[in-house]
Amino acid sequence: MEPFSDQFMEFHPVHGTNVQLDFSGTQATRVESFANGVCFSKHPLHPGEIFLIEIEDKELGWCGHLRIGLTAQDPRNLDVVPEYSIPNLTDQGHSWIFAITRNHNKIIEGAQEGAQEGAQEGAADAGVPGGHRLGRGEEEEEQVQENSKPKSFFIDSHLYIENVRIPKDKLVGRSRPGRFSHILDDLYKCNALPPTARRSRIGVLYVPKGPELGDMHIIINGEDMGASARGIPTIEPLYAVVDVFAATKCVRIVQVEYGFCSLQTLCRKAIQKHIVHRMAIDWLELPDALKHYCKYE
């Protein structure tokens, strides 16, 4: 099953008090503190439809990262948007949210702990409820570890989760082009971006599992982390939740094309296929907007 959606993904106008949305409603920035950054999708998700965001900016010195998940609570019915997604929103029930860490995001099949215990453990790793500043305000390490073996990328055109198939083209974030892009491109094509790094892409979706039930999956740079929550009731609409928390400063929604690729995407693929590395795009006689799109997407 390949989900088809004609809706443009946006953030809900109801959000945390420290969140500022851009004019398009697709970029959320936490302008103060480390909390009150809870955001929701503007519309409920369809089965198999991914809500995909990219980390645009980070704030040095905070401990803890992005949280993401699903909620059956309509944001319009909230008296007050909770200060934290974990534990404030999850304690209200009907919400399944997990903290993204630099490591250990993958769900181990057969684990004894339930989904709620996993959420609480993830919350502890993120420094709930308030987080804390690191001693020197140093930036987190975002380089590929020496012993990490690059994983294959784009062997398949789609990511398969149960009977759901999602185009891989938009799922993997890439580094910003720079002085050593000709060296780094091969690494980032192999999905080597750390989960909490800038340009990393993280998504959430649910797949049907029996009558009126579903499993929530979190996707990090094109890799399925497994069923983070099982047996979620799908009778009520499910909204995506993104908590722009602590070290995560700004996120942007990435639109996923489920049907035929757009002309813009086809042009980008054709250009990237015939260049040595991304910096070579600057040498082409192309409009600046198209160069930017080819280098960053």
Side-chain angles (χ1 to χ4, degrees):
M1 178 183 73
E2 183 169 316
F4 177 78
S5 174
D6 57 356
Q7 67 182 12
F8 184 76
M9 289 289 186
E10 300 174 68
F11 286 113
H12 202 286
V14 175
H15 50 70
T17 56
N18 285 338
V19 170
Q20 180 177 318
L21 301 182
D22 72 342
F23 68 95
S24 68
T26 62
Q27 186 181 72
T29 304
R30 194 188 69 254
V31 294
E32 292 183 18
S33 181
F34 54 83
N36 285 303
V38 177
C39 303
F40 307 93
S41 59
K42 186 173 183 179
H43 305 286
L45 300 184
H46 300 300
E49 183 180 37
I50 188 170
F51 190 82
L52 182 66
I53 59 96
E54 177 176 288
I55 298 176
E56 284 279 286
D57 196 12
K58 300 180 68 176
E59 186 166 10
L60 304 185
W62 288 114
C63 179
H65 303 281
L66 180 86
R67 290 94 176 269
I68 194 168
L70 299 172
T71 183
Q73 299 194 52
D74 189 330
R76 295 171 298 180
N77 297 333
L78 292 173
D79 295 331
V80 177
V81 177
E83 186 176 9
Y84 308 102
S85 59
I86 305 172
N88 301 43
L89 185 59
T90 54
D91 283 352
Q92 296 181 22
H94 304 287
S95 296
W96 304 267
I97 302 167
F98 286 77
I100 303 300
T101 64
R102 284 183 293 174
N103 304 290
H104 312 300
N105 293 295
K106 198 169 183 64
I107 302 300
I108 301 175
E109 295 295 334
Q112 299 298 319
E113 293 78 12
Q116 292 300 326
E117 292 176 343
Q120 292 172 1
E121 181 180 351
D125 291 341
V128 174
H132 59 277
R133 280 197 177 275
L134 302 177
R136 297 185 301 275
E138 55 270 323
E139 185 172 9
E140 290 187 30
E141 181 64 39
E142 294 186 0
Q143 301 298 323
V144 182
Q145 296 180 3
E146 293 182 355
N147 297 328
S148 63
K149 184 178 180 181
K151 301 174 184 177
S152 60
F153 177 49
F154 282 166
I155 294 178
D156 296 320
S157 61
H158 289 75
L159 173 67
Y160 294 87
I161 306 174
E162 301 291 342
N163 62 337
V164 172
R165 61 198 298 262
I166 306 170
K168 269 190 174 181
D169 186 46
K170 292 290 187 73
L171 298 183
V172 179
R174 307 188 70 195
S175 68
R176 287 190 178 276
R179 183 177 179 183
F180 300 104
S181 287
H182 62 291
I183 299 174
L184 295 176
D185 267 10
D186 288 338
L187 291 177
Y188 285 107
K189 285 179 182 177
C190 294
N191 188 14
L193 264 179
T196 60
R198 292 179 181 86
R199 311 297 293 176
S200 179
R201 293 187 176 183
I202 301 170
V204 63
L205 73 153
Y206 71 93
V207 297
K209 295 288 289 187
E212 300 179 339
L213 292 176
D215 289 352
M216 183 181 79
H217 286 251
I218 293 175
I219 312 300
I220 300 180
N221 289 321
E223 183 181 2
D224 177 22
M225 296 294 107
S228 303
R230 297 183 181 275
I232 295 176
T234 58
I235 302 175
E236 297 180 300
L238 293 173
Y239 294 81
V241 180
V242 176
D243 191 350
V244 188
F245 176 73
T248 304
K249 177 74 172 178
C250 177
V251 298
R252 173 180 65 90
I253 297 175
V254 178
Q255 308 295 332
V256 178
E257 300 166 336
Y258 294 97
F260 293 105
C261 294
S262 66
L263 179 59
Q264 187 182 41
T265 299
L266 291 174
C267 289
R268 173 176 56 79
K269 287 184 175 181
I271 292 170
Q272 291 177 340
K273 183 178 179 180
H274 293 91
I275 59 172
V276 179
H277 56 82
R278 279 177 292 169
M279 295 303 290
I281 293 175
D282 289 329
W283 308 335
L284 303 177
E285 295 183 0
L286 297 172
D288 290 339
L290 183 55
K291 290 181 182 180
H292 183 277
Y293 182 70
C294 290
K295 286 193 292 185
Y296 289 162
E297 294 295 333

